Amino acid sequence: MIERVTACLENGGKHVLRRISKQQTHRSLHSAFWSHGAGNINLPSWWLAFLQVPSSRDHTWSFNKCATEIPRTPPDAFGFLDFLYPGETLAFIRKFMSGNASAFRRRRSQPLLQRSRAYTSAADAPGDIRPSQKDTAQSISIEAPAGEDTNLDQLDGEAGRGLRREFKRVLRNNEHPLNTQELWQKYQEIQGMSLSLNSGDYSLLFERLSTSKTPLDLKCIGNLLSDIPLFKRIYLHYDHAVFAALGQEDLEGAMCLHREATARFRYLHGSSMILKYTVQHSRWRCAEEIWKHHLDRERAHVWQPDIWKGVNTLQAPELMAGAAGAVSEAIRQAETSSHDDADLTRSLAISLMRRALSTRNIEFDVSIQLRMLSKSRHIQQPDLSLFKAAVLQNLSLGRQNRKHSNAALKLYREVRGKLNLVPDLGLLMAMLKRFSALRDSQGMYKVLEDFRKHHEAPPEEAYSLIMAQLARHGDFDAVDGLFRDFVDRYGKGEIQKHARNLFYACFRRAEADRADSVLQSLRGTYGYEPDLEAWNILIATYARVGNYDGAMSLLEKLVAANFTPSNSTYGILMGMCAKRSDYDTTSALYEQAISAGIKPNISMVDSLVLALVASDRYDEAYQVVQEAMTMDLDDATNQPRYIAGDVTRTRMWNTLLSHCALNRRLDKVAEIQKRMHEAGVPFDNITYAALMLSLCIKNMPGSALRIKNVIMHSNGARPTALHYSILMGGFMKTNEPNKVLLLANEMLKNNINPTFSSQNQLLRVASKVDEQQDDQENAGYQPFQARRAEEVMRQALETLNPMELALLGPKQRAQSTPVNVAFYSSYFSYMIYLYGKKKSFDRVVGMYDEYISTARKVHGNAGALPPVELLSALMVTHFNAGEHAETEKCWHLAVEKSEQLARKVDADTSQPGWVLHKYRFILALPLTRYMQSLQASSRVDDIATTVDYLQHAGYRLSVHNWNKYSQILAQEGQSLLAYEICEKHLIEGWPGWEHFGTPIRAKHKIKKQWNPTSLDRGRPFPHYETLVYLAGVYLDLKSMPYGTGKETLQDLERLAPRTMEAVLKMPNFDDETQNSVLRRS
C-alpha cells in the first residue's frame, strides 16, 4: 500500500494504481530487502524509475493517454526508502556505504544495469540494438552476442553459474508439453540471486511462455517484459507481450506496448495481432490507430511486416462479419466525423472488404456478404474488383452449395445490369465456367453476349467451353455457328478439337445422318480428316441409334486411316451389341481387345454385364460384376464424354438392379443393395431409380416416393426426370392420377425439364379423365374424343426437338425401339391404341397420318416405317373396325421392322435361330391381334403357318399368345391341337385348383396369377378363359351321339392328361364366361 500511495504522489499515479495489480502478483517482501539492499528487490520498471534520483538530463515518454515524465538516471545511482528504516539502521548503512563506496558501486553496478526500469532514450542507452536505416526485422537475432555468457559467468559465483546452467537446461528442454511452471520458477530463482540473462535467453523464454495460453503464463510474459531493461528489449519481446495482453483481453495494454515499440523501432510490431483483435471485437478506434500507423509507414516507403497476418487467420464467417461491421462504421463516421477520420475509416473498411472477399472454398453467410456489398455503395462508387471478388468467392463454393451459386448469379446480373459496370475477361470466364458446370446454356448465351459487347469476341478458351456445353445440350446450330466464327477469327489451328464438338452435338441428338453430312462438309471446306476421338464419336452416334452396319463401316474406315482402335472404340461397339442382347458378339469384341493388348475399361465390363442380363443370364452377370471389383480397369476419368462410365463401378451394379426390378425379382434387389453396401459401392441416381422401380412394380409407389423425398435428400442426391417418371407410372398403376399431376407440378417448380417418359404419363392421366367424362356424358352415342390427351400430346409435339435426347442419361437396360424414334412415336402409339379401343377409327387414321408426317420431318424417309409398338396399336384399331386386310398389312410391316432390329450380326434369315435373345418377344403383342384377325377371316390354318415361321426364326410366343392360340383352336373345333398346345406350353405351371382355395375365390385368384402387361416373365400358366373353352370342347365331345366323341376323348386323355385333369376338376362358376361357353356346349 505504501508503494501505491507514493506512486500516486507523482504525475501519472493513476496509471500506476490501475496497472499495479497486473504487474505485482504478491506483496511479500524480497529477501534482499532484509539485507538492506533495496536495489536488489525485483520491482517493475515504472517503480524503479520512480525511485531513481532525477538527473539534469530528462526524457519524456508518452504512455497511452497518461503521460509520465520519467527522468533518465545514471545506471549506478539508486536511492533507498529512508522513511522505512529506523534511525540507527539508517546511520549504519550510510556509514558502511561511505567507507566502502567504491567497492559497493563496483559490486552493484552490473546487477543494477540488468534491473534498471528507466524509460530512456534508446539512442543514448548502452548496448542499444535498435536497427539502423538499412536493417530489417529479419536481421535482428535473438541469439546472445559472442562472449556474453562468458562475461556473465565471470561476474557470478559458482552458485550463480550452476543456477544459470540449470535454468538453460530447462529453457532448452524440448519435451512436450512444456512445464512452464518449472521454467518460471527457475527464472525467479535467477532473479532472486540478481543474476543476469543474455538477450537470446530472454527471447527464448518469451517463446516458451507464449506456447501456453493459460492466464498465469500470459501474466508471466507481461512481468518478464518489465524485468528486461529497456535498452535490452528487442522487437520480438514486444510481439510476445502484445500477444499476452490480447490473450488477457487487455486491448489498452496491448496498445500501450505497441506505442512504445513504435517509438523505439522503425517497424510496427504487434500490429497484425491487434488488428485481428479489433476486427473480431469491433474496436474500430484502436483499429483506426493501427491502420493510420501502417499507412504512415507505407507512405514513407518503410518496409513493414504483413499487417494482415493475423486477420488472415480468422475464419471466413468471422472475417466477413468484421468487414461488414467496418463498412457500417465507415458509413457512421462519414455522417458524424471529420473528413480525415472518415477517409481513414473508409480506407480500412474497403481493405477489410477486399481481404474478406479474397477467401476461397470456405463456407460463410451469403446474406452478410450481400448486405456488405450493398452498403459499400454508400462509401464509394461501385467497384468492379469488389464485385468480381465476391462472385469468385461464391463460385468457389457453388458446386457444394446452391445458395452460393445463386448469389454469384445475382451479383453477376447486378454487374451487367443495375450497376452498369463492364465485366472484365476474368469475371466473364469465371461465370462461363460456372454456367458450364451447371449445364446452363441460357447463362452461357448471356456471357457470350457480354464477350461480344464489351470485348469484341470471346478468347479461345471461352469458345471451347461454350461449344462443349452447347454440344452437350445438343444445340447443333449454335455449335456450328460458333465453330465457323472461331475458324474465321483464329484460323484452322484448333479445328480438330472443335470439330469434335460438332460430332458430339450430333451424337447427343442421335442424328447419325447429320454427323455423316458434317464430316463430308468439313472435308470439302477445310480439308479436315478425323482423329481417333472424332472417329469414336461418329461410331458412338451410329451405335446410339442402333445402326450396327453403319458403326462397323466406320470402324473399317478408322483402321484404313491408320488408327488403332482404343478401349473407348471397343467400349462403344460392345455397348451397342449389349443393348441388342447380342452377347456372343459383345464377348467376341472383348476377347479381340484383350488379344490386341488393349487394357479394358469399365465401360467394356459394363457392356458385358448388360449383354448377359439382356440374355437373361443373371448368374453369369453377377459373377462378372464380382470379378470386376478386383480387376485393374481404366476408370471413367480416362474416358471421353461420349462413353458412359464411372470410377466407382456403380453402373454395372445398377444394371443388375434394373434387371431384377423389371423381372419382379425383389429378393434379388434387396440382395444386390446389401452387397453394394458391403463392397463400398456408392449409390447414384440410377441406383435409386432401380429401387423405386422395384417398389412401384410391387404397387408401393408411396414407399418409392419416400426414397425420393427422404433417402435421396439425406444423401445429397437430386431427383431427375427419370425418378419422377417412375413415380408417375407407379401412381398410375395404383389408379391415383391426382398424385401424378402433383408430381408434374413439382417437376416444373424444381426446374426439371420433362422428358418424353414423364410426358407419356401425363398423357395417360389426361386420357383417363377423358374416358371417365365420356362414360358419364356420352354413353357411347358419339365418337370418343380425347381432347385433354390430345392437348397434352400437342404441347409435347410443339416443343419436339432432338435436343431433348441430350437430356437422357445412359440406359441401364436394352431398348426395343431406337431412342431417336421412341421419343416421339410413343405419343402416337398410345393415342392410336386409345382411339382403337374406343372404336374411334377416324381419329386413328388421323393419328397415323400425323405420325408419318412427324417422322419424316424429324428423320426424313428413314423414320417413316413405324415402330412395332405403334403398328400393334394400329392393328387393334383395324381389327376392331373389321378391316382385316389392313390388319394383315400392319402385321407384315411389324415383321419387316422386327427383322431390322432382331437380326444377329451377319445372320442368314433363311436359317433357323437368327433372332437376338432380347427381341424374341417383339412380335408377341401384334401376333395376338393377327391371330384374332385370321380367325375372323376363317383362316385358322394360317395361324399354324405363322407360328411355325416365328419359332423357326427364333421368336418366342408369350404365355398370352399360347393361351389365345389354344382358345381359337378350341372355338374352331380343333380339340386335339388345342389340348396339345395347352399341355405342351401352358399346363407346366398349373398348381391345381386346390391351390386357390374355395371355388368362390378361385376365379379371382387364377386371374391374379396372370399379369397381361408381362409377356413372359414367369412360369407358363393357362388362363381361366382357356380352361373354360377347353371344358366346352370336352362337353361337346362327350355329348356327341353314338359315341363318336369317345375315341377323341381317349386321345385327349392320352396326349394331355394334366390338362384333362384341370378341366375335369374346374369348379362351376355362375359367370358370363362359363354361361356363354359351357351352356352353349
Side-chain angles (χ1 to χ4, degrees):
M1 294 301 296
I2 294 173
E3 295 165 332
R4 292 192 181 186
V5 172
T6 306
C8 289
L9 297 178
E10 296 294 334
N11 185 26
K14 292 181 180 180
H15 175 74
V16 175
L17 282 173
R18 183 172 60 252
R19 299 285 295 167
I20 187 67
S21 63
K22 294 189 177 183
Q23 298 291 341
Q24 195 71 25
T25 59
H26 54 274
R27 308 263 36 98
S28 61
L29 293 175
H30 198 281
S31 60
F33 181 89
W34 302 110
S35 64
H36 309 291
N40 285 337
I41 300 175
N42 182 21
L43 298 175
S45 60
W46 48 266
W47 182 241
L48 275 178
F50 175 77
L51 291 176
Q52 289 173 350
V53 181
S55 70
S56 59
R57 184 178 180 184
D58 293 341
H59 175 74
T60 302
W61 182 79
S62 175
F63 194 81
N64 202 3
K65 295 182 179 179
C66 305
T68 307
E69 292 218 352
I70 302 175
R72 189 193 186 313
T73 306
D76 58 347
F78 62 92
F80 291 100
L81 304 178
D82 295 354
F83 57 86
L84 288 177
Y85 297 89
E88 296 84 358
T89 304
L90 188 59
F92 173 79
I93 293 174
R94 287 174 177 168
K95 179 180 179 181
F96 176 81
M97 291 179 62
S98 63
N100 301 280
S102 60
F104 184 80
R105 283 195 296 268
R106 185 171 58 254
R107 186 171 65 249
R108 293 297 186 185
S109 61
Q110 180 62 29
L112 182 61
L113 285 175
Q114 302 303 318
R115 298 190 303 275
S116 175
R117 270 65 173 176
Y119 290 101
T120 63
S121 170
D124 298 330
D128 178 29
I129 59 171
R130 183 175 61 178
S132 65
Q133 293 287 339
K134 295 182 180 180
D135 288 339
T136 64
Q138 287 83 354
S139 66
I140 302 177
S141 174
I142 65 172
E143 297 297 330
E148 186 176 348
D149 285 344
T150 304
N151 294 334
L152 291 175
D153 289 340
Q154 290 174 356
L155 293 172
D156 299 331
E158 183 63 31
R161 287 193 294 271
L163 182 58
R164 183 181 285 107
R165 284 194 298 271
E166 179 64 18
F167 170 75
K168 289 187 177 182
R169 182 191 66 78
V170 177
L171 182 64
R172 288 169 170 78
N173 187 4
N174 293 323
E175 293 181 0
H176 294 282
L178 179 67
N179 190 344
T180 56
Q181 183 178 1
E182 179 186 4
L183 180 61
W184 185 249
Q185 182 180 356
K186 295 294 182 184
Y187 169 72
Q188 286 182 319
E189 292 176 4
I190 290 282
Q191 290 293 95
M193 293 187 65
S194 301
L195 301 178
S196 302
L197 296 176
N198 61 48
S199 58
D201 290 339
Y202 278 121
S203 299
L204 187 56
L205 182 56
F206 271 114
E207 183 179 340
R208 294 296 192 185
L209 292 174
S210 297
T211 59
S212 172
K213 296 182 180 179
T214 62
L216 182 60
D217 289 332
L218 294 176
K219 282 187 177 182
C220 290
I221 293 174
N223 294 337
L224 179 59
L225 183 69
S226 300
D227 291 342
I228 302 176
L230 183 64
F231 65 88
K232 277 203 168 187
R233 297 178 187 176
I234 63 175
Y235 76 96
L236 286 177
H237 302 163
Y238 287 101
D239 281 346
H240 289 295
V242 169
F243 166 79
L246 294 177
Q248 300 175 81
E249 299 186 357
D250 183 10
L251 177 60
E252 186 176 357
M255 291 298 296
C256 291
L257 291 167
H258 178 265
R259 294 184 188 110
E260 180 182 330
T262 303
R264 295 197 62 226
F265 302 109
R266 296 181 64 214
Y267 312 115
L268 299 179
H269 300 291
S271 300
S272 65
M273 289 184 283
I274 297 176
L275 184 62
K276 173 186 175 181
Y277 184 90
T278 55
V279 170
Q280 280 181 298
H281 298 84
S282 301
R283 303 289 293 274
W284 300 117
R285 285 298 182 187
C286 295
E288 291 164 13
E289 181 180 343
I290 297 294
W291 184 245
K292 185 177 185 302
H293 285 306
H294 170 74
L295 294 181
D296 291 342
R297 297 297 197 279
E298 196 175 65
R299 293 189 191 101
H301 303 290
V302 177
W303 180 89
Q304 298 297 320
D306 183 10
I307 196 172
W308 300 111
K309 183 177 179 181
V311 172
N312 290 341
T313 63
L314 292 175
Q315 294 295 325
E318 197 173 14
L319 179 55
M320 191 70 69
V327 173
S328 299
E329 176 67 14
I331 296 173
R332 189 188 67 80
Q333 291 274 19
E335 296 172 351
T336 60
S337 302
S338 65
H339 178 72
D340 292 341
D341 290 341
D343 284 348
L344 181 65
T345 310
R346 184 177 67 85
S347 172
L348 173 61
I350 294 174
S351 298
L352 274 174
M353 284 177 61
R354 295 187 186 281
R355 188 63 50 175
L357 295 174
S358 65
T359 61
R360 299 288 183 269
N361 302 311
I362 302 176
E363 182 62 49
F364 61 91
D365 191 341
V366 172
S367 61
I368 294 178
Q369 184 204 59
L370 295 178
R371 284 198 302 271
M372 178 183 70
L373 289 170
S374 178
K375 289 181 179 180
S376 69
R377 302 174 198 173
H378 298 287
I379 61 175
Q380 70 167 8
Q381 292 295 321
D383 186 354
L384 176 65
S385 62
L386 285 178
F387 282 88
K388 176 183 176 181
V391 169
L392 296 177
Q393 186 178 48
N394 281 297
L395 291 181
S396 69
L397 295 165
R399 287 184 179 273
Q400 295 82 22
N401 197 316
R402 193 171 185 84
K403 64 181 180 181
H404 287 292
S405 183
N406 292 336
L409 300 180
K410 179 180 179 181
L411 290 171
Y412 175 66
R413 285 194 295 268
E414 287 189 17
V415 167
R416 70 191 303 269
K418 183 164 54 176
L419 299 180
N420 198 26
L421 298 174
V422 178
D424 60 13
L425 290 175
L427 176 59
L428 291 176
M429 283 303 301
M431 291 306 304
L432 188 62
K433 291 176 181 178
R434 169 48 47 195
F435 286 128
S436 177
L438 294 174
R439 300 181 180 180
D440 184 352
S441 58
Q442 294 301 319
M444 299 186 77
Y445 281 129
K446 291 180 181 179
V447 176
L448 180 61
E449 178 185 338
D450 286 344
F451 269 122
R452 289 172 172 165
K453 179 180 179 181
H454 302 296
H455 305 283
E456 293 186 4
E460 293 187 43
E461 184 183 2
Y463 272 107
S464 299
L465 283 172
I466 297 173
M467 281 195 279
Q469 191 55 45
L470 295 179
R472 175 180 290 279
H473 282 268
D475 194 346
F476 176 83
D477 294 335
V479 176
D480 185 50
L482 287 169
F483 173 81
R484 299 183 187 281
D485 186 30
F486 175 84
V487 174
D488 292 342
R489 190 173 298 275
Y490 295 105
K492 299 189 295 183
E494 296 290 329
I495 191 172
Q496 282 285 359
K497 175 181 178 181
H498 297 300
R500 297 184 204 126
N501 289 317
L502 291 171
F503 297 135
Y504 186 58
C506 296
F507 166 79
R508 297 289 288 179
R509 296 167 64 94
E511 293 182 339
D513 293 338
R514 174 174 281 186
D516 186 64
S517 299
V518 170
L519 175 60
Q520 302 306 323
S521 175
L522 291 175
R523 280 174 169 169
T525 307
Y526 304 107
Y528 165 82
E529 285 299 328
D531 59 5
L532 178 60
E533 186 174 351
W535 280 117
N536 284 340
I537 299 175
L538 289 168
I539 294 172
T541 306
Y542 277 85
R544 192 177 188 202
V545 299
N547 190 337
Y548 180 85
D549 294 335
M552 297 306 296
S553 174
L554 289 174
L555 177 63
E556 294 174 1
K557 293 178 182 179
L558 180 150
V559 175
N562 296 322
F563 289 109
T564 301
S566 63
N567 55 10
S568 298
T569 312
Y570 281 103
I572 295 165
L573 295 172
M574 289 175 63
M576 176 182 60
C577 296
K579 290 178 181 179
R580 302 177 75 241
S581 74
D582 191 351
Y583 174 73
D584 293 338
T585 306
T586 304
S587 179
L589 287 169
Y590 183 82
E591 296 298 333
Q592 181 179 341
I594 298 300
S595 62
I598 295 174
K599 183 179 181 180
N601 57 28
I602 294 180
S603 177
M604 295 170 65
V605 180
D606 287 341
S607 299
L608 278 178
V609 175
L610 179 59
L612 288 168
V613 163
S615 302
D616 289 334
R617 297 161 69 174
Y618 170 81
D619 293 336
E620 295 178 58
Y622 184 79
Q623 184 64 31
V624 171
V625 172
Q626 294 282 57
E627 294 174 358
M629 297 302 294
T630 58
M631 292 174 63
D632 182 20
L633 303 172
D634 273 358
D635 58 39
T637 57
N638 298 324
Q639 299 307 311
R641 52 190 168 172
Y642 48 85
I643 294 292
D646 61 278
V647 180
T648 57
R649 312 186 185 191
T650 304
R651 189 170 182 244
M652 58 184 70
W653 288 96
N654 290 342
T655 302
L656 297 177
L657 274 176
S658 300
H659 170 78
C660 294
L662 288 170
N663 289 274
R664 302 171 179 270
R665 301 178 66 176
L666 303 186
D667 56 332
K668 290 292 185 181
V669 171
E671 178 185 333
I672 294 170
Q673 180 186 1
K674 179 181 178 182
R675 182 68 183 91
M676 289 177 68
H677 180 73
E678 292 173 350
V681 179
F683 287 12
D684 62 8
N685 278 339
I686 303 298
T687 311
Y688 293 117
L691 297 175
M692 292 165 63
L693 179 62
S694 64
L695 292 171
C696 288
I697 290 177
K698 197 69 175 176
N699 291 331
M700 299 169 61
S703 299
L705 183 62
R706 185 177 179 275
I707 291 179
K708 180 187 78 71
N709 292 339
V710 179
I711 299 177
M712 291 183 66
H713 177 74
S714 62
N715 292 330
R718 293 187 60 194
T720 64
L722 173 63
H723 302 98
Y724 282 97
S725 299
I726 292 172
L727 289 171
M728 288 178 178
F731 284 117
M732 280 298 298
K733 193 168 182 285
T734 56
N735 197 24
E736 298 177 271
N738 58 319
K739 293 186 178 180
V740 176
L741 297 176
L742 289 175
L743 288 169
N745 291 331
E746 185 179 325
M747 281 183 66
L748 298 177
K749 182 180 178 181
N750 294 335
N751 295 320
I752 298 176
N753 294 322
T755 61
F756 68 87
S757 297
S758 59
Q759 292 285 65
N760 268 289
Q761 298 299 336
L762 291 177
L763 184 67
R764 283 159 173 74
V765 172
S767 66
K768 190 174 188 65
V769 175
D770 288 331
E771 288 187 87
Q772 291 175 350
Q773 184 177 357
D774 181 71
D775 292 339
Q776 294 173 1
E777 299 177 1
N778 192 12
Y781 296 109
Q782 297 294 331
F784 172 69
Q785 182 72 26
R787 293 184 178 85
R788 293 178 181 82
E790 285 198 28
E791 183 179 353
V792 172
M793 188 184 75
R794 296 279 178 265
Q795 290 176 355
L797 293 177
E798 284 175 3
T799 58
L800 190 64
N801 194 319
M803 286 176 60
E804 182 182 347
L805 298 178
L807 302 175
L808 300 180
K811 299 297 180 183
Q812 301 301 124
R813 57 190 179 91
Q815 299 292 312
S816 58
T817 303
V819 67
N820 60 327
V821 177
F823 84 104
Y824 62 88
S825 66
S826 56
Y827 303 121
F828 293 100
S829 297
Y830 182 76
M831 292 303 296
I832 289 174
Y833 163 77
L834 177 65
Y835 279 125
K837 184 176 68 171
K838 290 290 186 177
K839 299 184 179 181
S840 296
F841 304 123
D842 292 339
R843 294 302 305 143
V844 169
V845 174
M847 283 290 162
Y848 181 74
D849 292 341
E850 190 172 348
Y851 162 77
I852 295 297
S853 175
T854 303
R856 286 174 176 165
K857 181 177 72 172
V858 176
H859 291 295
N861 292 330
L865 186 61
V868 175
E869 291 82 358
L870 189 146
L871 291 169
S872 178
L874 198 59
M875 290 176 67
V876 173
T877 301
H878 289 310
F879 173 76
N880 290 337
E883 299 172 349
H884 302 298
E886 294 297 324
T887 304
E888 186 169 13
K889 181 180 177 181
C890 290
W891 166 255
H892 291 303
L893 288 174
V895 172
E896 180 183 353
K897 185 70 175 181
S898 64
E899 286 183 1
Q900 296 177 5
L901 297 173
R903 184 171 58 87
K904 292 181 180 179
V905 177
D906 300 327
D908 184 0
T909 55
S910 63
Q911 299 297 319
W914 52 264
V915 175
L916 289 167
H917 181 82
K918 184 189 78 170
Y919 295 99
R920 65 195 186 281
F921 291 107
I922 192 173
L923 291 174
L925 282 176
L927 177 61
T928 298
R929 299 303 175 192
Y930 184 54
M931 288 192 295
Q932 290 177 314
S933 178
L934 291 176
Q935 180 189 14
S937 303
S938 301
R939 295 168 55 191
V940 176
D941 293 339
D942 290 344
I943 297 178
T945 304
T946 302
V947 170
D948 290 343
Y949 163 77
L950 295 178
Q951 290 185 310
H952 177 268
Y955 295 105
R956 286 183 60 183
L957 275 65
S958 67
V959 172
H960 184 55
N961 293 145
W962 288 119
N963 275 281
K964 182 59 66 175
Y965 189 19
S966 180
Q967 293 172 25
I968 291 174
L969 293 173
Q971 291 173 7
E972 297 299 325
Q974 300 187 22
S975 54
L976 285 177
L977 188 54
Y979 270 81
E980 183 179 355
I981 287 174
C982 184
E983 185 74 17
K984 184 177 180 181
H985 299 287
L986 298 174
I987 203 64
E988 180 182 351
W990 178 250
W993 289 103
E994 300 81 4
H995 173 77
F996 301 106
T998 60
I1000 297 177
R1001 303 182 62 186
K1003 180 181 66 172
H1004 302 289
K1005 287 186 175 182
I1006 191 175
K1007 288 186 175 182
K1008 194 175 181 180
Q1009 291 290 321
W1010 171 69
N1011 180 10
T1013 62
S1014 177
L1015 297 179
D1016 188 36
R1017 299 293 183 258
R1019 65 181 186 273
F1021 199 88
H1023 297 174
Y1024 170 68
E1025 289 81 2
T1026 303
L1027 294 176
V1028 172
Y1029 279 111
L1030 292 176
V1033 170
Y1034 175 82
L1035 292 177
D1036 287 341
L1037 292 173
K1038 192 174 181 180
S1039 61
M1040 286 185 180
Y1042 309 111
T1044 54
K1046 184 176 181 180
E1047 184 177 346
T1048 306
L1049 288 174
Q1050 292 175 351
D1051 292 338
L1052 293 179
E1053 291 176 356
R1054 178 175 52 83
L1055 294 174
R1058 291 177 297 174
T1059 303
M1060 181 65 74
E1061 181 183 5
V1063 168
L1064 293 176
K1065 291 184 178 181
M1066 183 176 64
N1068 292 324
F1069 300 119
D1070 187 14
D1071 60 8
E1072 183 180 354
T1073 305
Q1074 287 199 17
N1075 290 338
S1076 61
V1077 176
L1078 299 184
R1079 287 185 180 180
R1080 181 187 60 198
S1081 301

